[in-house]
Amino acid sequence: MLGVVVGIAGGFFTTPILRLIGTPADIFPLTVAYAKITFFALPVFFVYLGYTTFVRGVGDSQTPFYFLILSTLLGLVLTPAFIRGWIGLPQFGVASAAVASTLATFIGLVGLLVVLRRRNDPLAFDGAMFRAMRLTPAIVAAIVRIGLPSGIQFVMVSLAEIAVISFVNHFGSTATAAYGAVNQIVSYVQFPALSIGIAASIFGAQSIGAGRYDRLGSIVRSAVTLNYVIGGILITIAYTFDHALLSAFVRDAHTLDIAHDLLVLTLWSYVIFGNNSVLSGVMRSSGTVLWPTLISVFSIWAVEVPVAYGLSQHTSLGLRGVWLAYPVRS
């Protein structure tokens, strides 16, 4: 229900939203087309993320992983297929990535549900599951109590990203393109860090549920160590091959220079981000959600956004001031 509400609202208000954040005029029509598809596809993404979370929550991390691989591979094939119009497919231009991602996610979701049904998994979406889809006040209250602070945190993070991209847009479409290219590379460092934090949260919750509080220390140590090892390796690779990696997303020499500058200034700080993800994840696994939320919101709105605005608008650093706000926040 939330996916439908957010998707419809975002889809219908795409244009004023993009104007509000100062989207450069020369890329505005392309941005509107991409954003509308992404917004209207949110119900699919919401259900996919929810269901894979349920499956991981009962200890099965492999099945969602397999379908993540499937949807990723489909996206890699479908995106150029829609760009080029292979085998008679329509050509969607820049919006091809949004169309491909939506289709790949939908196929992955359907495949996941089929596999759960065939192996008679308790989470299989069958008649019994459909009849049980009703709001239970006690469960809703628990979800709101535990989930609302995290939800607020994610909303505040998203609003901060909107504020930051509005600062970036002020410097023109080349800066916007550089920002997007770097975010693609950062995601390969950030997502493993987030995944380790989620895994630590799940293991922590299971240990607490079993009364094995003695395991929490080893869970935190293992997750933090993994974060620095995996994150360190990925960051080293990204720094070593930065020009080659960025060239996969941007070709313009000036845009490439801006993206390189951003990558050098910020990428190293994502190992600290991963460390924070692990600690906050384990705290949330015990039901302690207020403090991680307050710390995160404070670091974003009392540090990142003011620093980005102040350094970019009121110093000679200009665009670099926006980039520097990320490591300062971490």
Side-chain angles (χ1 to χ4, degrees):
M1 289 188 292
L2 285 172
V4 170
V5 171
V6 175
I8 292 175
F12 279 109
F13 292 100
T14 297
T15 299
I17 290 171
L18 293 176
R19 292 195 189 282
L20 182 65
I21 64 173
T23 304
D26 56 336
I27 60 172
F28 193 86
L30 299 174
T31 309
V32 169
Y34 186 98
K36 279 185 178 292
I37 294 170
T38 303
F39 274 123
F40 286 131
L42 283 181
V44 175
F45 286 106
F46 273 41
V47 175
Y48 176 79
L49 291 173
Y51 229 99
T52 52
T53 301
F54 302 152
V55 177
R56 291 189 185 98
V58 297
D60 180 7
S61 60
Q62 290 186 344
T63 303
F65 176 65
Y66 295 146
F67 283 98
L68 175 62
I69 294 175
L70 171 64
S71 61
T72 302
L73 293 176
L74 284 172
L76 290 172
V77 174
L78 290 173
T79 300
F82 284 123
I83 292 174
R84 301 289 187 181
W86 292 346
I87 60 173
L89 290 172
Q91 292 178 289
F92 292 109
V94 172
S96 297
V99 174
S101 178
T102 302
L103 283 176
T105 302
F106 178 75
I107 293 170
L109 174 62
V110 172
L112 174 65
L113 296 179
V114 169
V115 167
L116 293 176
R117 179 67 184 274
R118 286 188 173 180
R119 71 187 189 193
N120 294 320
D121 192 282
L123 288 176
F125 192 83
D126 51 18
M129 174 73 78
F130 182 77
R131 290 190 295 272
M133 287 179 61
R134 58 182 180 273
L135 298 178
T136 304
I139 296 177
V140 170
I143 290 173
V144 170
R145 178 179 61 83
I146 296 174
L148 187 60
S150 296
I152 292 172
Q153 175 184 338
F154 285 122
V155 169
M156 298 302 287
V157 169
S158 299
L159 290 174
E161 286 298 316
I162 292 173
V164 170
I165 192 62
S166 69
F167 302 153
V168 174
N169 287 339
H170 176 76
F171 294 93
S173 58
T174 54
T176 305
Y179 180 81
V182 171
N183 276 347
Q184 294 295 321
I185 296 173
V186 163
S187 67
Y188 291 102
V189 177
Q190 189 177 32
F191 287 161
L194 288 170
S195 298
I196 293 170
I198 292 170
S201 177
I202 292 171
F203 285 129
Q206 292 173 343
S207 297
I208 292 170
R212 293 297 305 273
Y213 300 97
D214 57 299
R215 292 179 176 176
L216 293 178
S218 62
I219 290 171
V220 171
R221 286 191 297 273
S222 298
V224 168
T225 302
L226 276 174
N227 165 69
Y228 279 101
V229 171
I230 296 174
I233 292 172
L234 293 173
I235 289 171
T236 300
I237 292 172
Y239 276 140
T240 303
F241 302 101
D242 55 350
H243 279 286
L245 292 171
L246 289 169
S247 296
F249 301 102
V250 291
R251 299 296 176 86
D252 177 72
H254 180 53
T255 306
L256 193 60
D257 288 339
I258 296 174
H260 175 264
D261 196 36
L262 165 58
L263 194 70
V264 169
L265 286 172
T266 63
L267 191 62
W268 62 270
S269 66
Y270 281 91
V271 289
I272 304 175
F273 167 85
N275 195 329
N276 296 339
S277 177
V278 170
L279 296 178
S280 63
V282 174
M283 290 179 71
R284 288 190 176 91
S285 71
S286 67
T288 303
V289 293
L290 179 60
W291 280 109
T293 299
L294 291 177
I295 292 170
S296 177
V297 171
F298 178 84
S299 68
I300 292 169
W301 282 99
V303 179
E304 180 187 353
V305 173
V307 168
Y309 176 77
L311 293 180
S312 65
Q313 303 296 321
H314 300 290
T315 72
S316 60
L317 289 171
L319 189 58
R320 279 189 164 192
V322 179
W323 307 157
L324 286 170
Y326 285 97
V328 170
R329 181 193 76 179
S330 297

